[in-house]
């Protein structure tokens, strides 16, 4: 099966998928889409298949999948990998992907963008709201991680890839990691498959 990922290293959503492909050892092609360029300058092949004009998009032969969480779940199910080998593992993956998308994957990208040099920023009350959400997310991060090195237990899975997407850039969001986050970030950075966002898209 031919897998082709369209993404960019500044997109945590795209990084989630690229990391999952590496962790699962799935051969794939990559096309870098410049997310900072005008949409009508992006390659025709990407514009033709991307339903919302956003990255990531993954093609599996003729199938086109968008939305990072949906792509992660598709990979886990189709290839029976990344913690999705059993019914309990598949349920866990869905729970973690939904939590990430609705919670920590909401506040962190907004904070990162607000603090990006050259960004229009956000009003202080919005920053305050996002940081307050992050405080709650930190508590729930620990609850979900438990004692395991990874969210799926002894080995990282789909949920770890989802959560990595933006937790890798806490410094850019100008928020501090908790002890549990620091422990998990170190475990993720130690993985053989781990590499820089830039190296994921060459
Ligand atoms: N909910 C989507 C978010 C996708 C998204 O926001 N992509 C951004 C990069 S992080 C993008 O393509 N931005 C460029 C644009 O919209 O032109 C997912 O999980 O994949």
């Amino acid at each position: 099966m031919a897998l082709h990922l369209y993404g960019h290293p500044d997109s945590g959503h795209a990084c989630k998928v690229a990391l999952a492909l590496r962790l699962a050892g799935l051969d794939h092609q990559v096309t870098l889409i410049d997310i900072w360029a005008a949409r009508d300058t992006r390659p025709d092949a990407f514009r033709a298949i991307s339903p919302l004009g956003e990255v990531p998009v993954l093609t599996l032969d003729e199938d086109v999948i968008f939305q990072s969480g949906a792509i992660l779940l598709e990979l886990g199910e189709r290839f029976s990998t990344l913690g999705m080998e059993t019914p309990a593992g598949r349920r866990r993956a869905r729970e973690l992907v939904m939590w990430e998308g609705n919670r920590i994957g909401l506040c962190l990208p907004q904070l990162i963008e607000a603090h990006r040099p050259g960004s229009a920023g956000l009003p202080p009350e919005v920053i305050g709201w996002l940081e307050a959400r992050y405080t709650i997310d930190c508590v729930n991060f620990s609850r979900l991680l438990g004692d395991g090195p990874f969210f799926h237990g002894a080995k990282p899975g789909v949920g770890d890839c989802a959560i990595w997407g933006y937790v890798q850039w806490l410094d850019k969001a100008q928020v501090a990691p908790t002890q549990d986050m620091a422990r998990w970030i170190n475990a993720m950075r130690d993985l053989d498959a781990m590499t820089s966002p830039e190296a994921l898209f060459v």
Side-chain angles (χ1 to χ4, degrees):
M1 181 178 292
L3 279 69
H4 193 139
L5 174 64
Y6 297 80
H8 189 282
D10 292 341
S11 164
H13 296 103
C15 289
K16 297 175 192 183
V17 177
L19 176 62
L21 289 165
R22 273 177 73 92
L23 268 177
L26 294 168
D27 273 346
H28 60 283
Q29 259 190 286
V30 165
T31 296
L32 190 133
I33 301 299
D34 185 354
I35 58 172
W36 304 109
R39 283 185 165 208
D40 59 8
T41 64
R42 295 176 192 167
D44 289 344
F46 171 72
R47 293 170 63 201
I49 58 162
S50 173
L52 302 184
E54 298 174 340
V55 297
V57 169
L58 183 77
T59 61
L60 297 104
D61 288 338
E62 303 308 313
D63 292 339
V64 179
I65 313 169
F66 73 111
Q67 295 294 308
S68 56
I71 299 171
L72 291 175
L73 294 171
E74 178 96 19
L75 289 174
E77 282 199 43
R78 271 216 207 194
F79 298 98
S80 191
T81 187
L82 296 175
M84 296 188 71
E85 298 85 357
T86 63
R90 290 192 280 280
R91 184 183 319 126
R92 176 78 174 157
R94 289 192 293 270
E95 290 166 347
L96 292 168
V97 165
M98 296 293 170
W99 175 74
E100 192 275 341
N102 286 308
R103 291 296 317 193
I104 202 158
L106 183 151
C107 61
L108 289 178
Q110 300 302 328
L111 287 169
I112 290 165
E113 174 57 19
H115 295 305
R116 180 177 60 82
S119 146
L122 285 171
E125 58 271 29
V126 177
I127 299 273
W129 177 71
L130 292 167
E131 289 178 347
R133 283 181 65 105
Y134 175 71
T135 304
I136 298 167
D137 294 343
C138 285
V139 174
N140 290 330
F141 183 105
S142 292
R143 283 191 180 135
L144 291 169
L145 182 63
D147 296 331
F150 300 106
F151 285 90
H152 286 263
K155 289 200 296 186
V158 154
D160 294 276
C161 294
I163 294 164
W164 180 253
Y166 286 94
V167 173
Q168 66 173 320
W169 292 319
L170 294 182
D171 52 339
K172 292 187 184 180
Q174 298 187 14
V175 292
T178 62
Q179 275 192 354
D180 285 333
M181 278 178 178
R183 171 169 64 89
W184 176 79
I185 288 168
N186 285 337
M188 291 294 284
R189 290 208 191 281
D190 281 349
L191 292 168
D192 288 343
M194 184 53 76
T195 188
S196 67
E198 290 71 26
L200 290 171
F201 295 97
V202 287

